[in-house]
């Protein structure tokens, strides 16, 4: 009896040792391979992943954009589809949207994805950040550069327009911006007044010429994103918001910009521009 107890104790000790070993290995593997984290002081900072920038045309002269609007993403698996047949209802959720987006990215191999509003659907989303991560998941997984702006339903959950655009601009492979910054501020003397622009999600993405071409260092296409706002009550009537003078002013300024050839250092810098 006594030796059996000792044997059991020994086995138990071995198991414990083995378990500790496994946990240590998992921990080390995770630390070295899977967590791209930087520790600054006692705060953990995650580094945003970016694709090859700047955006540019392919050598065959094409630049394919996949535009996706109105995903109306909610809480994922538990959010049922709207406007489907009664027979489809039980098996249709946000995950069908995810699957569709993955398939279309794979089928089309775009160079850039533009999400143009109502990415998430406030009333169906209990956590805006979580819904955004799920909605843009396929874009982030594809590692393609992507950008988004907001619709009227995006801010109806737990984040306002500014918070949403801040988060979207920080997500992996996103080239979204909250509003024009250095780009326009530097030119304030020339009548550009971006310090006060209405809305969140007004920005200009420059697409450069094909690698090795005459236009390799030139922006040949401007993708302009504008925030057309939310809902407002105007003269007692509840209606949709609109694009304001400050935005048109910026738009006019950007569109008058000559086709500049940027220097290699700017084009090759690690920031977006
Ligand atoms: C980080 O360190 C500072 C200073 O020691 C402390 O005040 C703060 O609470 C710490 N933050 C966390 C998240 O541990
Ligand atoms: C949603 O996905 C499920 C699972 O693949 C599928 O059975 C169903 O037909 C899809 N529904 C629609 C409306 O596409
Ligand atoms: C673009 O810039 C790169 C790096 O400075 C340079 O090597 C190349 O010759 C430039 N191409 C053109 C067409 O100006």
């Amino acid at each position: 009896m006594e030796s059996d107890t000792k044997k059991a104790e020994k086995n138990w000790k071995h198991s414990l040792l083995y378990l500790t070993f496994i946990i240590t290995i998992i921990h080390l593997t995770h630390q070295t391979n899977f967590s791209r984290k930087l520790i600054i002081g006692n705060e953990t900072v995650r580094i945003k992943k970016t694709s090859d920038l700047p955006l540019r045309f392919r050598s065959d002269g094409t630049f394919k954009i996949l535009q996706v609007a109105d995903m109306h993403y909610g809480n994922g698996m538990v959010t049922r589809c709207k406007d489907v047949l009664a027979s489809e209802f039980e098996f249709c959720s946000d995950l069908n949207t995810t699957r569709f987006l993955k398939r279309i990215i794979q089928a089309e191999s775009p160079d850039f994805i533009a999400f143009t509003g109502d990415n998430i659907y406030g009333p169906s989303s209990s956590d805006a950040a979580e819904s955004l991560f799920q909605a843009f998941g396929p874009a982030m997984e594809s590692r393609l550069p992507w950008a988004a702006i907001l619709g009227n339903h995006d801010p109806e959950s737990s984040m306002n327009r500014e918070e949403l655009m801040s988060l979207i601009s920080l997500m992996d492979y996103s080239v979204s911006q909250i509003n024009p910054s250095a780009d326009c501020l530097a030119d304030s003397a020339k009548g550009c007044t971006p310090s006060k622009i209405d809305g969140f999600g007004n920005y200009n993405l420059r697409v450069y010429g094909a690698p090795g071409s005459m236009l390799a260092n030139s922006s040949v296409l401007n993708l302009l994103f504008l925030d057309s706002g939310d809902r407002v009550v105007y003269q007692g009537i509840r209606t949709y918001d609109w694009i304001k003078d400050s935005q048109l002013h910026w738009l006019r300024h950007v569109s008058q910009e000559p086709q500049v050839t940027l220097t290699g250092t700017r084009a090759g810098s690690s920031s977006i521009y």
Side-chain angles (χ1 to χ4, degrees), residues 65-73 94 97-98 100-101 104 112-121 135-136 146-154 225 228:
I65 301 172
L66 171 65
Q67 182 181 358
V68 182
D70 296 286
M71 285 192 289
H72 282 212
Y73 217 96
D94 282 340
T97 306
T98 300
F100 175 73
L101 185 54
I104 202 151
F112 172 73
I113 310 170
F115 293 98
T116 49
D118 285 357
N119 312 291
I120 65 171
Y121 184 68
F136 300 132
W146 62 275
I149 44 173
L150 308 174
N152 60 300
H153 288 303
D154 292 277
F225 293 80
S228 59

Side-chain angles (χ1 to χ4, degrees), residues 1 30 34 52 54 58 65-66 87 108 113 130 141 181 204 215 225 239 255 259 262-263 273:
M1 275 303 274
H30 181 76
F34 303 117
D52 284 344
R58 297 185 202 184
I65 301 172
L66 171 65
S87 59
E108 294 293 336
I113 310 170
E130 180 61 33
E141 278 169 30
S181 52
N204 171 23
L215 297 168
F225 293 80
T239 181
S255 54
Q259 290 291 320
L262 299 183
T263 65
Y273 297 113

Side-chain angles (χ1 to χ4, degrees), residues 81 84 88 91-93 96 99:
C81 298
V84 290
E88 293 173 327
F91 302 104
C92 190
S93 73
N96 290 65
R99 202 172 305 123

Side-chain angles (χ1 to χ4, degrees), residues 196-271:
K196 183 73 197 82
I197 190 163
D198 287 275
F200 298 96
N202 300 289
Y203 51 97
N204 171 23
L205 298 178
R206 296 187 176 90
V207 186
Y208 286 71
S213 74
M214 285 298 291
L215 297 168
N217 301 333
S218 308
S219 156
V220 290
L221 172 70
N222 283 14
L223 300 173
L224 292 154
F225 293 80
L226 287 165
D227 180 13
S228 59
D230 212 317
R231 303 200 71 149
V232 284
V233 176
Y234 181 69
Q235 295 182 344
I237 300 163
R238 188 169 137 79
T239 181
Y240 289 105
D241 209 349
W242 54 84
I243 289 171
K244 307 286 165 32
D245 280 346
S246 65
Q247 294 166 286
L248 291 177
H249 188 70
W250 169 73
L251 186 64
R252 236 175 264 125
H253 172 84
V254 174
S255 54
Q256 279 165 9
E257 204 174 80
Q259 290 291 320
V260 287
T261 302
L262 299 183
T263 65
T265 35
R266 274 189 76 192
S269 72
S270 59
S271 59

